[in-house]
Amino acid sequence: MQTLNRWERAIERWEESLLAKVVRSEPVELLGALKRECDSHAVVCGPTRVVVPNVYDVELADTVHEELTRRGCQVGQELTDQLVRHAEDKGYEWAGPLTVHVSRSGRVPNGRYRVAGRPMAHIRADTFADAPA
């Protein structure tokens, strides 16, 4: 199992470095943060069912937001597409329709971005227990 984990990490690093060469580093860092947020909130509902939050809020510092929009980068769409691929690779199910909100914020703690994931307000955890596995 450790060998598979090492291979998976190596492939993820390769993918991130390739993406960094194409779109510079900020979207790659955001993507990594989104993937970690998704993985850390995964809920195992059965042997073959893992549900993850479907709403992600990305707050960008003013300077980061300006830089990305000046480059013409479609940050929200790119992050959504990459997060869909990540979920497909991991076999995750969304708690509803996937949404990535990208907004500008002057109070981001690390000075660049903040990422938070949550299920939609009308989604309750007890509904997953009744669902067939």
Side-chain angles (χ1 to χ4, degrees):
M1 191 66 169
Q2 278 185 323
T3 304
L4 290 176
N5 287 335
R6 282 195 299 258
W7 275 101
E8 182 179 13
R9 283 192 303 270
I11 290 171
E12 286 174 356
R13 282 191 306 270
W14 176 80
E15 177 185 18
E16 289 174 1
S17 68
L18 180 63
L19 190 57
K21 291 175 184 170
V22 175
V23 226
R24 292 182 131 187
S25 65
E26 206 68 49
V28 174
E29 291 178 27
L30 286 171
L31 178 58
L34 268 174
K35 286 179 179 180
R36 284 189 299 279
E37 184 73 13
C38 180
D39 293 343
S40 67
H41 290 90
V43 176
V44 178
C45 297
T48 60
R49 189 162 189 222
V50 179
V51 179
V52 292
N54 62 310
V55 177
Y56 294 86
D57 297 311
V58 178
E59 295 179 51
L60 300 176
D62 290 334
T63 56
V64 174
H65 189 274
E66 288 172 17
E67 174 68 20
L68 291 175
T69 54
R70 185 171 44 87
R71 283 192 251 154
C73 187
Q74 299 294 325
V75 180
Q77 188 60 51
E78 180 64 26
L79 292 174
T80 302
D81 294 345
Q82 291 293 330
L83 197 55
V84 165
R85 284 190 206 107
H86 175 70
E88 287 172 354
D89 292 344
K90 297 282 189 171
Y92 293 158
E93 289 183 35
W94 302 110
L98 176 61
T99 306
V100 178
H101 299 284
V102 179
S103 61
R104 172 182 254 167
S105 175
R107 46 190 168 91
V108 178
N110 65 6
R112 296 180 320 195
Y113 57 85
R114 175 183 16 215
V115 175
R118 60 184 162 67
M120 286 182 139
H122 69 279
I123 303 293
R124 295 187 348 239
D126 59 348
T127 60
F128 297 123
D130 297 333

